[in-house]
């Protein structure tokens, strides 16, 4: 199958000037020579922590940012030299509530963007009413966007991006800030798009989202792709491990250091769970690690709650790949 | 393609007008400010020799138009950037200049409609009759004035795509053009070295034509030459603007100034 998106040794450096009199140029390497390709009809995920280079990559692919080095092609067109060929054929959403005209109604927003894509008036009318129904905003289209909930704004973004029926979609953290029900509905809508043979590049830092939706995932960290595989393939990176989850009420750094020093402990991470924390101990043999880890913690006078040994998830694979950052 | 572009301009015009009609800053800039200027100017100048109320009204109306257009060219790109919509425009098949033209025309329409109400009101308050010496030529001059100011605005707009804090520069341009354009005072009052700068400004020729056709007493040949020079400079501005949009948008993509996080 032909590659719809092709990225070869792509690099982006941000240069900012600091200081008033003696201006210095500060360079930040945001994307550091990445390679990947996405096939026709594939839902491909870019997974990584904040600042890993996901949004920068999408901005280069959507022609909004010029790469410092390397090459990227979308639908066979070069993102720098042939940007005008790419723009009518793609759609993009950057996460969050921005990107809409809040003082206008949802309908007026769609009319505005439909015109930017030169959609004839008769097609536009049919398309807008179809999309309003698709995203569940029919009956609310005449209300001003400023009165919409976050989920409604995100759904309006989805309708906006589909107005010109693009072949390729770039969705940058589309479920960011949505409540669980809104996020689930949006994920369902995105999955439906994929059944319509759209090629989708999705960025997220929600592991379960990437696991549930993407056919392949590139894990990106500090501008580099540290792994690229199917979700099950990524999980195989940690199949030799099991995870010990210990519920605690405060974990001092010394406790982390002492547990990390124990035999058989591969790595540690901490998850916040309301007023409690979960210490996740990645170990070759989780069951065997229970006794020494718990006794170490209790020996330091720490209160230990429930203890569970479980199989590794995509999140565990991700944590291992990006070195504990989430 | 031309029809499609005109449709974009019309949609942007219509929807931008909807938005600015409820924006208090815009209402102040294009309605209240010109009225204050007109009232102050009539009050200050009414006892001077050769005073004509229509000259003051036309001059301050041009100032109001210029403020509105300058605002469209500068602030509108900044507000699109902060709203996160600038990237959506740049990433679409429509050129940014087309969107800016629609927005500028919307602000201009708002200014003109406010002038039609507020300036006769100012003259009425001071008890002056407003008579236009050559109504037809004056109407043509008004249309060409809008063209001149929009064209100048199109040179300023592309700079805003690379300059995140650029509104300060557009604010600084308001009074110099007002003075060099001879909107309210003849440029003969200015030092001689500023005259070439005035001559290079299409709004100066617009002001000349407007004053000549509203106040009268000027040969029609002088009006024609003002129109010709105005159109000539506008064409020159379009070429400069098209080049600037191309170069500066490329720079904006290199320097990552289209969006803010």
């Amino acid at each position: 199958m032909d590659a719809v998106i092709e990225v070869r040794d792509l690099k982006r450096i941000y240069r900012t000037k600091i200081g008033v009199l003696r201006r210095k140029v500060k360079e930040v390497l945001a994307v550091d020579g990445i390679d990947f390709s996405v096939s026709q009809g594939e839902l491909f995920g870019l997974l990584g922590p904040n600042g890993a280079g996901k949004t920068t990559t999408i901005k280069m692919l959507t022609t909004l940012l010029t790469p410092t080095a390397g090459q990227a092609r979308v639908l066979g067109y070069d993102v720098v030299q042939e940007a005008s060929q790419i723009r009518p054929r793609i759609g993009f959403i950057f996460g969050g509530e921005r990107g809409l005209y809040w003082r206008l109604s949802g309908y007026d927003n769609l009319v505005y963007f439909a015109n930017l894509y030169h959609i004839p008036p008769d097609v536009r009318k049919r398309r807008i009413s179809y999309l309003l129904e698709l995203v569940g905003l029919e009956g609310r289209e005449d209300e001003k966007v400023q009165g919409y909930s976050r989920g409604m704004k995100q759904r309006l973004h989805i309708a906006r991006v589909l107005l010109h029926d693009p072949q390729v979609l770039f969705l940058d953290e589309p479920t960011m800030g949505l409540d669980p029900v809104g996020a689930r509905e949006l994920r369902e809508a995105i999955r439906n798009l994929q059944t319509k043979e759209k090629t989708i590049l999705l960025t997220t830092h929600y592991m379960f989202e990437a696991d549930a939706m993407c056919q392949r995932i590139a894990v990106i960290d500090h501008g580099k792709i540290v792994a690229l595989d199917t979700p099950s393939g990524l999980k195989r990176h940690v199949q030799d491990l099991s995870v010990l989850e210990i519920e605690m009420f405060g974990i001092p750094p010394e406790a982390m250091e002492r547990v990390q020093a124990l035999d058989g402990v591969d790595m540690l991470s901490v998850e916040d769970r309301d007023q409690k924390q979960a210490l996740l101990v990645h170990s070759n043999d989780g069951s065997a690690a229970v006794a020494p880890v718990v006794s170490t913690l209790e020996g330091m006078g720490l209160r230990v709650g429930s203890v569970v040994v479980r199989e590794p998830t995509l999140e565990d694979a991700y944590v291992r790949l990006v070195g504990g950052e989430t | 393609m031309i029809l499609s572009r005109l449709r974009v301009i019309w949609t942007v015009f219509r929807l931008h007008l909807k938005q600015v009609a409820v924006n208090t800053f815009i209402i102040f800039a294009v309605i209240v400010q010109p009225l204050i200027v007109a009232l102050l100017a009539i009050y200050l100048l009414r006892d001077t020799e050769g005073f004509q109320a229509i000259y003051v009204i036309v001059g301050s109306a041009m100032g109001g138009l210029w403020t509105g257009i300058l605002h469209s060219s500068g602030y509108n790109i900044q507000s699109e950037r902060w709203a996160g919509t600038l990237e959506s425009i740049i990433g679409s098949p429509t050129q940014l200049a087309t969107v800016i033209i629609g927005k500028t025309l919307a602000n201009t329409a708002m200014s003109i409609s406010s002038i039609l109400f507020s300036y006769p009101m100012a003259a009425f308050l001071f008890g002056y009759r407003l008579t236009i010496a050559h109504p037809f030529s004056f109407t043509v001059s008004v249309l060409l004035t809008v063209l001149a100011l929009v064209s100048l605005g199109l040179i300023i707009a592309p700079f805003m795509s690379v300059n995140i804090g650029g509104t300060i520069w557009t604010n600084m341009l308001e009074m110099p053009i007002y003075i060099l354009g001879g909107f309210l005072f003849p440029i003969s009052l200015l030092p001689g070295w500023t005259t070439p700068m005035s001559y290079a400004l299409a709004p100066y020729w617009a002001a000349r034509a407007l004053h000549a056709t509203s106040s009268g007493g000027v040969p029609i040949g002088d009006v024609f030459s003002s129109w010709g020079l105005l159109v000539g400079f506008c064409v020159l501005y379009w070429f400069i603007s098209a080049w600037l949009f191309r170069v500066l948008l490329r720079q904006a993509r290199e320097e990552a100034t289209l969006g803010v996080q």
Side-chain angles (χ1 to χ4, degrees):
Chain A
M1 202 176 283
D2 288 343
V4 169
I5 301 169
E6 286 177 277
V7 173
R8 295 283 168 264
D9 200 20
L10 195 66
K11 191 180 273 192
R12 171 71 203 193
I13 297 169
Y14 288 110
R15 292 185 176 90
T16 47
K17 286 178 182 160
I18 48 172
V20 181
L21 293 175
R22 288 186 176 181
R23 305 263 284 170
K24 285 183 183 169
V25 177
K26 186 186 168 196
E27 291 193 346
V28 177
L29 181 58
V31 173
D32 188 8
I34 60 171
D35 297 88
F36 65 88
S37 63
V38 182
S39 304
Q40 165 77 38
E42 187 177 10
L43 206 165
F44 184 90
L46 267 182
L47 181 66
N50 293 330
K54 304 185 297 289
T55 302
T56 300
T57 303
I58 281 210
K59 287 198 175 177
M60 286 190 279
L61 294 174
T62 51
T63 77
L64 299 173
L65 200 57
T66 311
T68 309
Q71 199 186 40
R73 299 182 83 82
V74 176
L75 293 159
Y77 298 108
D78 185 272
V79 294
V80 179
Q81 304 300 331
E82 298 166 298
S84 61
Q85 295 295 326
I86 295 173
R87 288 172 182 167
R89 295 172 168 89
I90 64 165
F92 56 87
I93 295 175
F94 295 114
E97 297 178 279
R98 295 161 72 238
L100 296 165
Y101 295 95
W102 287 30
R103 286 197 182 112
L104 297 177
S105 67
Y107 189 85
D108 280 343
N109 267 276
L110 294 178
V111 168
Y112 178 86
F113 287 108
N115 275 299
L116 291 188
Y117 283 87
H118 307 299
I119 299 170
D122 51 332
V123 179
R124 183 184 74 201
K125 202 172 177 185
R126 281 199 308 273
R127 191 93 192 129
I128 289 177
S129 54
Y130 163 73
L131 289 170
L132 284 169
E133 197 183 326
L134 183 81
V135 299
L137 283 177
E138 74 274 36
R140 307 290 302 268
E141 67 269 29
D142 293 328
E143 293 173 29
K144 281 188 182 174
V145 170
Q146 62 194 12
Y148 281 14
S149 68
R150 202 166 186 150
M152 288 167 74
K153 285 180 192 131
Q154 283 298 77
R155 282 184 278 151
L156 185 62
H157 269 303
I158 293 281
R160 171 185 72 76
V161 84
L162 293 174
L163 278 165
H164 57 295
D165 197 19
Q167 293 164 260
V168 188
L169 288 167
F170 296 90
L171 309 176
D172 188 19
E173 302 191 5
T175 57
M176 185 173 72
L178 291 185
D179 62 67
V181 176
R184 194 172 60 191
E185 285 173 1
L186 198 62
R187 281 195 290 274
E188 196 54 44
I190 294 167
R191 261 194 295 263
N192 285 340
L193 295 176
Q194 203 219 342
T195 61
K196 294 182 173 115
E197 278 301 292
K198 303 280 180 209
T199 304
I200 301 170
L201 194 153
L202 172 94
T203 76
T204 181
H205 54 241
Y206 299 132
M207 260 56 65
F208 64 94
E209 189 167 278
D211 194 5
M213 296 177 71
C214 300
Q215 287 152 317
R216 285 191 307 144
I217 296 168
V219 179
I220 185 167
D221 186 35
H222 293 102
K224 285 179 182 292
I225 290 181
V226 292
L228 198 166
D229 210 330
T230 58
S232 52
L234 286 175
K235 284 177 209 168
R236 280 198 289 275
H237 282 270
V238 284
Q239 67 181 2
D240 55 324
L241 295 179
S242 54
V243 181
L244 180 60
E245 269 190 34
I246 305 167
E247 208 168 72
M248 297 185 68
F249 302 88
I251 308 168
E254 315 87 74
M256 299 277 287
E257 283 167 22
R258 287 177 64 174
V259 172
Q260 180 72 69
L262 293 171
D263 280 345
V265 172
D266 182 67
M267 66 174 291
L268 301 177
S269 61
V270 177
E271 255 180 37
D272 282 323
R273 294 179 181 173
D274 296 325
Q275 291 171 359
K276 293 178 275 188
Q277 289 84 40
L279 177 63
L280 307 180
V281 182
H282 294 223
S283 164
N284 294 332
D285 185 347
S287 304
V290 173
V293 171
V294 171
S295 65
T296 302
L297 295 170
E298 287 181 338
M300 293 177 75
L302 298 169
R303 198 172 140 206
V304 174
S306 66
V307 178
V308 176
V309 179
R310 61 165 174 79
E311 292 299 305
T313 61
L314 180 64
E315 182 163 351
D316 299 314
Y318 169 83
V319 168
R320 192 182 210 189
L321 287 163
V322 302
E325 287 178 67
T326 53
Chain B
M1 197 61 199
I2 291 173
L3 188 69
S4 177
R5 207 172 270 190
L6 288 173
R7 199 182 296 127
V8 174
I9 292 174
W10 166 244
T11 306
V12 174
F13 172 86
R14 191 172 60 80
L15 296 179
H16 187 65
L17 209 53
K18 259 191 185 183
Q19 293 181 86
V20 294
V22 291
N23 184 328
T24 46
F25 179 75
I26 298 270
I27 290 168
F28 180 83
V30 301
I31 296 177
V32 181
Q33 185 182 324
L35 183 60
I36 292 170
V37 171
L39 289 171
L40 284 174
I42 291 178
Y43 183 76
L44 288 169
L45 299 173
R46 60 183 172 170
D47 295 328
T48 57
E49 194 184 331
F51 169 76
Q52 282 183 287
I54 190 69
Y55 189 95
V56 176
I57 296 295
V58 165
S60 46
M62 272 197 82
L65 276 176
W66 171 235
T67 302
I69 283 162
L70 191 62
H71 184 81
S72 307
S73 316
Y75 180 75
N76 281 336
I77 289 188
Q78 301 293 10
S79 63
E80 296 280 353
R81 176 183 283 120
W82 290 106
T85 44
L86 184 61
E87 288 177 325
S88 302
I89 296 169
I90 304 287
S92 78
T94 294
Q95 290 180 343
L96 179 62
T98 310
V99 174
I100 295 298
I101 289 172
K103 283 173 174 280
T104 307
L105 288 174
N107 280 4
T108 309
M110 198 159 163
S111 300
I112 288 176
S113 60
S114 78
I115 286 162
L116 290 175
F117 166 77
S118 57
Y119 288 86
M121 179 65 77
F124 172 76
L125 289 172
F126 284 97
Y128 292 104
R129 282 190 64 208
L130 293 179
T131 47
I132 292 166
H134 306 288
F136 177 74
S137 310
F138 179 76
T139 308
V140 174
S141 299
V142 168
L143 294 174
L144 289 175
T145 298
V146 171
L147 181 74
L149 294 175
V150 170
S151 303
L152 188 57
L154 282 175
I155 291 184
I156 296 160
F159 287 100
M160 296 303 116
S161 59
V162 284
N163 198 334
I164 288 176
T167 341
I168 189 167
W169 300 106
T170 56
N171 291 342
M172 282 170 65
L173 278 174
E174 186 175 358
M175 285 314 285
I177 300 294
Y178 195 96
I179 294 166
L180 289 170
F183 293 179
L184 198 52
F185 307 97
I187 62 162
S188 56
L189 295 173
L190 302 174
W193 58 267
T194 63
T195 308
M197 287 193 271
S198 294
Y199 286 172
L201 289 171
Y204 165 72
W205 300 106
R208 255 178 93 131
L210 275 180
H211 286 311
T213 53
S214 58
S215 302
V218 176
I220 194 70
D222 194 54
V223 174
F224 286 153
S225 61
S226 292
W227 288 353
L229 283 160
L230 181 156
V231 171
F233 276 113
C234 285
V235 172
L236 178 66
Y237 290 177
W238 298 337
F239 280 111
I240 295 171
S241 170
W243 177 75
L244 284 173
F245 267 111
R246 201 168 54 246
V247 170
L248 293 175
L249 281 176
R250 192 189 311 140
Q251 193 183 334
R253 288 168 69 201
E254 282 165 7
E255 294 181 3
T257 55
L258 294 174
V260 285
Q261 295 297 321

